[in-house]
Amino acid sequence: TRKTKKAKQRSETEPTHVFVYGSLRPDDDSGMLWTKRWAEGLEALPAHIDGARLWHGDNGAQITLDGTPENTVTGYAMGLRNTTTIPAKRLWAKKLKEADDIAGYDPTSRALSSFFRRDRCTVTTADGAVPAFVFHNVGCRKKDRIPSGDWLKRRRADESSTLFADATEGEPPPKPAMEVGDVFYDSD
């Protein structure tokens, strides 16, 4: 039928990755309980999104999509390369629902009452452009911007470590904790 055909076409074009930049990053250091569990079994591609800005809010990392082309946020495209098998489709649906729950996003609600919204975007990886979902905060207070665009380089008042300081201009970026194509498996 026409509805089934449209639904099939839409599902074939749905992104199979989520751009993560905060506590869903596989190398996140904020100590959130969900990080490892959510990342397990997903491909982790180091990635960035242009035209976005990163903020340190009361609830952790927040991204806004209102930056200039020079504004970049660093993170990972987490997902599955192949979602054509039934087990892969089920895993992806489960992971996307878990991400929705963590972000407090209700995909069935048209209201903007969610803390985050989930929208489609294009992120850049070493292999090129990847369609992805991104959770962003439309109502972000925009108080504590992270100029580097990298959650791991944020400054935190309660930590004296230079690990979170913004990189000095001219320094090479740190080597990512995971390489392109790595699949995260929790060894615990």
Side-chain angles (χ1 to χ4, degrees), residues 3-20:
K3 284 186 179 182
T4 306
K5 190 174 185 179
K6 281 186 178 182
K8 184 177 180 182
Q9 288 173 340
R10 187 174 53 248
S11 68
E12 289 173 358
T13 60
E14 288 287 308
T16 57
H17 287 78
V18 174
F19 177 69
V20 296

Side-chain angles (χ1 to χ4, degrees), residues 80 87-100:
L80 302 172
K89 287 179 183 180
R90 287 181 181 150
L91 175 63
W92 180 241
K94 176 185 172 197
K95 293 294 185 176
L96 194 55
K97 169 131 179 38
E98 287 175 7
D100 287 345

Side-chain angles (χ1 to χ4, degrees), residues 26-91:
D27 59 351
D28 175 52
D29 58 4
S30 65
M32 295 298 168
L33 299 176
W34 56 72
T35 304
K36 286 183 180 181
R37 182 186 73 239
W38 185 79
E40 188 170 347
L42 295 177
E43 170 186 56
L45 301 171
H48 68 270
I49 184 171
D50 295 326
R53 297 185 296 165
L54 186 62
W55 308 87
H56 189 207
D58 295 336
N59 296 319
Q62 298 176 26
I63 192 174
T64 57
L65 303 178
D66 59 355
T68 65
E70 295 80 33
N71 298 130
T72 299
V73 175
T74 302
Y76 287 85
M78 300 289 294
L80 302 172
R81 281 190 194 259
N82 180 356
T83 57
T84 58
T85 67
I86 290 175
K89 287 179 183 180
R90 287 181 181 150
L91 175 63

